[in-house]
Amino acid sequence: MSDARGRRATARGPLAGITVPCLGAPGTVDLAAALAGRPALLNVWASWCTPCREEIPVLNAYAELPDAVPVVGIDVRDDATSALGLLADLDTRYPSVVDTRGTLWAALQVPNAIPASYVLRPDGSIRRVASPMVFTDPGEVARTVQRYLAEP
C-alpha cells in the first residue's frame, strides 16, 4: 500500500509483525502490513457466539456500502469448520483470519466478552469500540467508524 506521495506505507502499531492464517483460504497475512496506511474495522467473533451471529450480517451490509472502510473478521477460540459454515450460511463476503495462537487477542487486549470491534486508524493505532457493543444497523457501523477515525 502506498501513501499519497507514492511511498510504501509502513506497518505500525500493536498489530505490526503479527501474522495469522486466513480463514478458508491458504496462506497467512500480516494485517498491519496489508492495511498499512488505511483505516479498517476489525471484528473479533466466533461461531458459537450468539451476538456475533447477529452482528455479522450487519457488518457484511456495512462492508458493501460504497464508502465503507475494509472490514476484517478475526475468528477466535473456534473450530474452523464451524466458523466457515457460519460465514457461508450468512453469505458473508468480507475476509476473516483465524487467531489460532491468541496473538491478535493479546495485541488487541480483547475483553472476555465478544464480539468486540476495533477501528484501525491509518497511523496503525487501534481504538476499541466501547459503544455499541453489538452493531445492529449498517448506518450505526458507518457513524461509529467515522466518529472513531475523527477522534484525536
Side-chain angles (χ1 to χ4, degrees), residues 1 9-18 29-44 62 67-74 95 97 104 107-108 116-130 135 141-142 144-152:
M1 177 65 52
T10 303
R12 294 179 292 184
L15 300 184
I18 298 174
V29 64
D30 178 334
L31 288 180
L35 296 169
R38 295 189 301 165
L41 179 65
L42 310 177
N43 179 258
V44 179
Y62 165 74
D67 57 346
V69 302
V71 175
V72 178
I74 301 171
V97 297
L104 288 176
L108 293 170
S117 292
Y118 299 81
V119 174
L120 173 65
R121 297 161 58 120
D123 67 0
S125 65
I126 296 176
R127 305 279 174 118
R128 184 168 65 89
V129 175
F135 289 112
V141 179
T144 301
V145 168
Q146 290 308 312
R147 185 176 79 239
Y148 277 77
L149 288 174
E151 291 178 352

